Amino acid sequence: MIIYTIGFTQKTAQRFFEIIQNNGIKLVIDIRLNNASQLAGFSKGNDLKYFLSKICGCDYTHRVDFAPTKEILDGYKGKIITWPEYEMQYTSLIYNRGSLGGFIEKYNKYQKVCLLCSEPTEANCHRRLFAEMLAKEYQQITIKHI
């Protein structure tokens, strides 16, 4: 299984959907805490589900249990905690929730899955952290940031 990661910020709708389509992605897992964001009109949960299906023939799901808590996210955005502290808190949260368990079993019908968040790059985004945890847990996963 290939786990792609993508952020929609700084992308037009055209560019975003072309990337999904050109990579043959069959499932987008939205791992934002809030998928009703005003950051980009095309990225709102129900609209995104519709666009992905109609434009890309791609399924969509929103998984809040893969997202950071509001406290962790606000702490980092408010510069109360550093990125290394964020990484540590987020990683601990995911392991405590048991969010990695059953991932392959649940999504194995999809060979190309994409984790979606808003950050323009994966460098300081939980989507990269989650993908890395999945790859560590399941040897058959490879990661591609797009």
Side-chain angles (χ1 to χ4, degrees), residues 1-143:
M1 176 185 286
I2 302 173
I3 299 289
Y4 294 82
T5 76
I6 192 169
F8 63 83
T9 304
Q10 299 178 3
K11 290 178 183 68
T12 64
Q14 179 180 349
R15 181 71 185 125
F16 176 83
F17 292 110
E18 284 176 350
I19 291 169
I20 298 295
Q21 198 168 41
N22 292 342
N23 283 284
I25 293 164
K26 296 302 177 194
L27 172 67
V28 170
I29 302 175
D30 188 337
I31 65 170
R32 295 175 288 167
L33 186 59
N34 177 9
N35 73 345
S37 170
Q38 297 295 323
L39 293 175
F42 70 85
S43 71
K44 293 179 188 167
N46 289 335
D47 293 337
L48 185 57
K49 181 177 182 175
Y50 174 82
F51 293 140
L52 285 167
S53 174
K54 293 298 181 186
I55 297 169
C56 304
C58 180
D59 291 336
Y60 168 89
T61 189
H62 182 218
R63 294 290 303 266
V64 177
D65 59 319
F66 298 167
T69 63
K70 183 175 179 352
E71 293 75 24
I72 294 172
L73 193 58
D74 288 350
Y76 177 66
K77 287 185 175 186
K79 301 188 185 307
I80 296 166
I81 62 172
T82 64
W83 178 252
E85 291 169 319
Y86 177 98
E87 283 184 325
M88 193 171 58
Q89 289 180 28
Y90 175 74
T91 300
S92 178
L93 174 72
I94 293 303
Y95 283 117
N96 287 337
R97 284 179 177 165
S99 297
L100 301 175
F103 186 91
I104 290 292
E105 294 78 11
K106 184 166 182 112
Y107 299 115
N108 67 357
K109 72 178 182 178
Y110 302 99
Q111 286 305 304
K112 295 183 174 186
V113 174
C114 187
L115 302 177
L116 169 74
C117 195
S118 61
E119 294 295 325
T121 69
E122 74 281 355
N124 287 355
C125 184
H126 71 283
R127 71 179 187 266
R128 175 183 58 82
L129 302 175
F130 191 75
E132 289 171 355
M133 285 185 268
L134 285 170
K136 184 177 177 184
E137 185 79 15
Y138 302 101
Q139 283 71 39
Q140 67 267 45
I141 288 180
T142 57
I143 301 170

